[in-house]
Amino acid sequence: MDRCHFIRFRGNLSPWNIICFPNPKFPEINVRTYVKRNGKPGIYFMSIDVGNWASLNIAKRWYRLPYHSAQISFRKEGHTFHCQSIRKGNTNTSISFNGKYAPVSEVYFSKEELLIIG
């Protein structure tokens, strides 16, 4: 594991409030929205495309999130990143995504690798 991103949640101080996410060695594309339920913030994942077998089969069952098997590619041209995802599976209709993004300002580096939610 090269790096680990930590998220600390305020409130109950159990060991489960600190979560370590290793940087994945495989691409993943997710579509999500930020929501509130009963005044509490959360994330609603609509779709997660992943090309890694372990993530697809283990995380899909463990977290019950909408993971889908896909062939994903990323490439960089100058400062622009291009990504493509083509879903695998037994559907008659091909599902794919093509996108690109580029920075619109200078890079900002946070002082700490810690996100406090709540």
Side-chain angles (χ1 to χ4, degrees), residues 45-114:
F45 288 93
M46 293 175 258
S47 174
I48 304 171
D49 285 6
V50 65
N52 179 276
W53 181 89
S55 283
L56 175 68
N57 290 291
I58 296 170
K60 184 175 185 172
R61 286 182 181 92
W62 190 327
Y63 297 114
R64 297 182 180 153
L65 293 173
Y67 279 89
H68 300 279
S69 179
Q71 180 179 350
I72 301 173
S73 63
F74 283 98
R75 74 179 195 287
K76 183 179 177 189
E77 292 178 7
H79 294 291
T80 303
F81 295 87
H82 299 266
C83 55
Q84 179 182 45
S85 176
I86 302 171
R87 288 232 181 122
K88 301 175 184 178
N90 52 7
T91 62
N92 292 333
T93 306
S94 173
I95 299 174
S96 64
F97 168 81
N98 288 297
K100 64 181 178 178
Y101 61 94
V104 295
S105 65
E106 294 297 316
V107 176
Y108 171 78
F109 295 98
S110 63
K111 292 185 172 53
E112 294 183 31
E113 291 190 41
L114 188 65

Side-chain angles (χ1 to χ4, degrees), residues 26-54:
F26 55 87
E28 175 181 298
I29 296 175
N30 67 61
V31 178
R32 64 185 180 223
T33 188
Y34 297 89
V35 298
K36 282 188 178 181
R37 182 170 188 225
N38 298 328
K40 294 182 181 180
I43 302 171
Y44 182 82
F45 288 93
M46 293 175 258
S47 174
I48 304 171
D49 285 6
V50 65
N52 179 276
W53 181 89

